[in-house]
Amino acid sequence: GNLLLNPNKDLESFAAMLDRLRRLEMAVEVTGLGLWEWDVRSGDISWNARNRELFGVDHQDPITIAGYMDLVHPEDPELVSAAYRAQSDRENGGDFVVEHRAAFAPGGKARWLQARGRVLKDADGVLRAFGSTLDITDRKTAEDRRNLVLNELAHRAKNGILVMMTFVAQTAKSALSVPHFESLLTARLQAMADSQDLVTQAAGRPL
């Protein structure tokens, strides 16, 4: 049969495709995702504006794979390389996720990034890799604060147990009997609780 072309329908399909592309671009912009693609065989690397911003790279500066590793924090390149190699060494490639710091540290504060990537291979080896970069500095900062609090609580709890053990041992030495020991220990524990209440109520003011 004859192939009939419908210009209006073709234009509508093209407009719909552009609309979907526009919505996708808006979604990426809202999430703050940096996008990247690496043609392994040609060496060409493509970054969107947000990815350049995350690494502190000027929009006009060329990007190379060697240059990219220089943009990673000096302590983290091997971490990034290992995540990529784990998938590039697989027969069919695969996906990876790695969290690392950027060498770019605005205001002296470490910038943490999460890179998600996919490695594509064909019969001749790795063809290309592409993925996204997300700023996770706020999450890492919150995790550091939480760990600091948990470590401090663990330290205080350990000190409290040691103090209590010493306290019980000293009380036992001066007790004449089990009932006497119980009475002395209860009185001393109550005195400690009352002292803590006073400190809490004073809220740093002189007692």
Side-chain angles (χ1 to χ4, degrees), residues 24-35 48 50 54 132-136:
L24 178 60
E25 289 175 343
M26 289 176 61
V28 169
E29 183 176 350
V30 168
T31 57
L33 281 175
L35 301 180
N48 71 348
R50 176 58 177 164
L54 291 173
S132 64
T133 310
L134 181 66
D135 188 338
I136 58 170

Side-chain angles (χ1 to χ4, degrees), residues 82-104:
Y84 168 77
R85 286 198 306 270
Q87 302 307 318
S88 64
D89 289 344
R90 295 179 61 187
E91 182 179 358
N92 297 315
D95 299 344
F96 65 86
V97 180
V98 60
E99 296 180 357
H100 66 88
R101 292 161 293 176
F104 177 59

Side-chain angles (χ1 to χ4, degrees), residues 19-196:
D19 184 59
R20 287 195 297 271
L21 180 60
R22 180 183 60 81
R23 293 186 183 190
L24 178 60
E25 289 175 343
M26 289 176 61
V28 169
E29 183 176 350
V30 168
T31 57
L33 281 175
L35 301 180
W36 54 268
E37 183 174 353
W38 175 28
D39 185 324
V40 177
R41 294 176 186 171
S42 71
D44 292 339
I45 294 180
S46 175
W47 284 10
N48 71 348
R50 176 58 177 164
N51 213 61
R52 288 175 172 270
E53 181 183 341
L54 291 173
F55 284 92
V57 178
D58 188 86
H59 288 212
Q60 305 301 320
D61 290 345
I63 302 292
T64 64
I65 192 60
Y68 161 64
M69 298 308 289
D70 289 338
L71 297 173
V72 174
H73 189 279
E75 296 178 5
D76 294 347
E78 181 54 34
L79 189 69
V80 176
S81 296
Y84 168 77
R85 286 198 306 270
Q87 302 307 318
S88 64
D89 289 344
R90 295 179 61 187
E91 182 179 358
N92 297 315
D95 299 344
F96 65 86
V97 180
V98 60
E99 296 180 357
H100 66 88
R101 292 161 293 176
F104 177 59
K109 180 181 178 182
R111 171 172 285 179
W112 277 92
L113 304 173
Q114 181 189 76
R116 290 180 174 270
R118 173 168 294 178
V119 178
L120 299 181
K121 301 182 71 174
D122 61 15
D124 296 322
V126 177
L127 184 62
R128 68 179 63 246
F130 62 91
S132 64
T133 310
L134 181 66
D135 188 338
I136 58 170
T137 304
D138 290 344
R139 194 199 82 196
K140 282 291 187 179
T141 300
E143 289 177 355
D144 288 344
R145 289 200 190 105
R146 182 192 64 193
N147 290 336
L148 183 64
V149 170
L150 290 176
N151 289 336
E152 179 63 21
L153 288 174
H155 177 70
R156 292 188 181 189
K158 183 178 180 180
N159 285 345
I161 292 172
L162 292 174
V163 169
M164 186 59 64
M165 291 172 64
T166 303
F167 192 67
V168 170
Q170 290 176 346
T171 303
K173 289 179 181 179
S174 59
L176 302 176
S177 64
V178 172
H180 187 218
F181 170 74
E182 181 181 357
S183 177
L184 283 176
L185 185 60
T186 300
R188 291 181 178 180
L189 289 175
Q190 186 59 54
M192 288 179 64
D194 292 343
S195 297
Q196 184 60 45

